[in-house]
Amino acid sequence: MPLNETYAVGTSSSRDMFRIRILPALYSGATCFVYPSYFEGFGLPVLEAMQCGAPVIAGNRTSIPELVADAGLLFDPFDTASLADALKRTLDDAEYRTTLRRKGLKDPPSSVGRRPREMTLKVYEKAVGLPGTSTQSESLTPA
């Protein structure tokens, strides 16, 4: 899909283009990615941002600290001063941002595990209809 084509908002083509081409470009070009969530199931946007090289600032609740580990800056999402301090540190210190970028580009923490990543990849492949992916219904539950 060429980026110069026009897509109707909300269509499958426009969502696919956003997820596959535009979102990674936004993450990659971001000065930092801020994720102030205090209730999150898995935190996939945090992993996506880290894998695209965006320095991550994220809330220190649920699974997020385990995903971010030392590759991002955690803050209390209920404390606006904590968020302001995290933003100031990240925005004011280019060397710190570079350190976070490098750490985030490494493999996700081993605690994330290979199986969940494989399952997520299968879901994405099926959702966008990539060639070579199975069209038969298959279980996405861990073996």
Side-chain angles (χ1 to χ4, degrees), residues 38-113:
Y38 56 86
F39 181 78
E40 189 59 44
F42 182 69
L44 192 55
V46 171
L47 286 177
E48 290 172 339
M50 287 170 40
Q51 290 295 289
C52 289
V56 170
I57 300 172
N60 63 1
R61 299 289 191 263
T62 66
S63 64
I64 303 302
E66 185 178 357
L67 295 174
V68 172
D70 70 339
L73 183 56
L74 299 171
F75 69 96
D76 181 351
F78 295 102
D79 180 1
T80 55
S82 176
L83 172 57
D85 290 344
L87 281 166
K88 181 167 179 30
R89 178 174 183 194
T90 305
L91 295 174
D92 289 350
D93 188 342
E95 188 174 321
Y96 183 64
R97 283 194 311 275
T98 299
T99 299
L100 293 181
R101 284 184 197 280
R102 280 194 202 117
K103 288 181 177 184
L105 286 168
K106 292 182 181 178
D107 285 335
S110 60
S111 59
V112 173

